[in-house]
């Protein structure tokens, strides 16, 4: 399967929201937007000068199957950004698509925004996400409970990855 990253648009952001807004995905990935319109508005905000988010679509054999994005981008911050990734087609889960997407996305985002470190949150029950983060070089930094849900915080040191 050929995995590439594509450009996001307001339409793809709204379509992604609709495809991610399922019980199976909501159980593993909290979504900020509550509607497709909010997702499109968030995309438009990401296109403004000084925006603190950036994302790409995940294409599998030319078909849009997910998204990968950074948010809270602050090159001087620690971490410099947070990252999320979602493959929204369950029949494609467990095939390495998210790992490949992160491998393509992180160098691009790091170069574009001069990122030094990238953080990621996941629910402790999301074993697939934990495997993807581990394969991508992230290290577990903290386990915590928020709103009654056990979660984990991971960090990737991009400076160390360059060595």
């Amino acid at each position: 399967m050929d995995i590439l990253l594509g450009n996001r648009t307001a339409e793809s952001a709204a379509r992604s929201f609709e495809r991610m807004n399922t019980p199976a995905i909501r159980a593993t990935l909290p979504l900020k937007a509550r509607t497709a319109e909010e997702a499109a508005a968030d995309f438009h905000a990401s296109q403004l000068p000084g925006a603190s988010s950036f994302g790409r679509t995940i294409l599998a054999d030319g078909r849009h199957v997910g998204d990968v994005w950074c948010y809270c981008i602050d090159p001087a911050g620690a971490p410099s950004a947070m990252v999320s990734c979602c493959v929204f087609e369950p029949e494609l889960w467990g095939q390495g698509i998210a790992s490949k997407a992160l491998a393509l996305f992180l160098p691009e985002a790091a170069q574009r925004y001069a990122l030094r470190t990238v953080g990621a949150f996941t629910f402790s029950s999301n074993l697939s996400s934990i495997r993807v983060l581990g394969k991508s070089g992230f290290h577990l930094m903290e386990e915590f409970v928020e709103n009654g849900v056990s979660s984990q915080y991971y960090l990737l040191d991009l400076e160390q990855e360059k060595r």
Side-chain angles (χ1 to χ4, degrees):
M1 188 174 314
D2 189 30
I3 306 302
L4 300 171
L5 299 181
N7 293 323
R8 294 185 83 219
T9 64
E11 294 77 22
S12 70
R15 190 171 49 251
S16 293
F17 172 82
E18 295 295 339
R19 295 172 81 184
M20 286 185 222
N21 194 22
T22 67
I25 291 176
R26 281 219 176 256
T28 62
L29 179 71
L31 298 176
K32 177 182 167 274
R34 299 282 182 220
T35 66
E37 292 78 20
E38 282 183 29
D42 287 346
F43 165 79
H44 286 299
S46 76
Q47 302 303 294
L48 298 174
S52 63
S53 65
F54 167 69
R56 304 276 266 146
T57 59
I58 302 170
L59 305 173
D61 293 334
R63 190 167 50 103
H64 180 196
V65 300
D67 288 337
V68 58
W69 64 97
C70 277
Y71 59 98
C72 297
I73 297 172
D74 176 6
S80 303
M82 298 297 292
V83 69
S84 284
C85 185
C86 180
V87 173
F88 42 66
E89 297 196 13
E91 67 275 8
L92 297 177
W93 292 351
Q95 296 185 29
I97 295 170
S99 296
K100 177 68 174 173
L102 277 175
L104 294 169
F105 179 77
L106 289 172
E108 177 185 2
Q111 181 177 6
R112 180 181 282 222
Y113 295 99
L115 305 179
R116 294 174 288 107
T117 56
V118 177
F121 288 107
T122 189
F123 295 141
S124 299
S125 61
N126 189 343
L127 301 180
S128 295
S129 180
I130 291 168
R131 278 193 299 277
V132 167
L133 292 171
K135 287 190 327 190
S136 300
F138 284 78
H139 298 281
L140 177 63
M141 302 302 290
E142 180 183 1
E143 294 186 60
F144 59 95
V145 175
E146 184 175 58
N147 298 326
V149 179
S150 179
S151 298
Q152 298 179 352
Y153 169 66
Y154 286 81
L155 187 68
L156 174 65
D157 183 339
L158 295 166
E159 303 282 310
Q160 186 177 29
E161 294 294 313
K162 290 179 189 174
R163 295 180 218 151

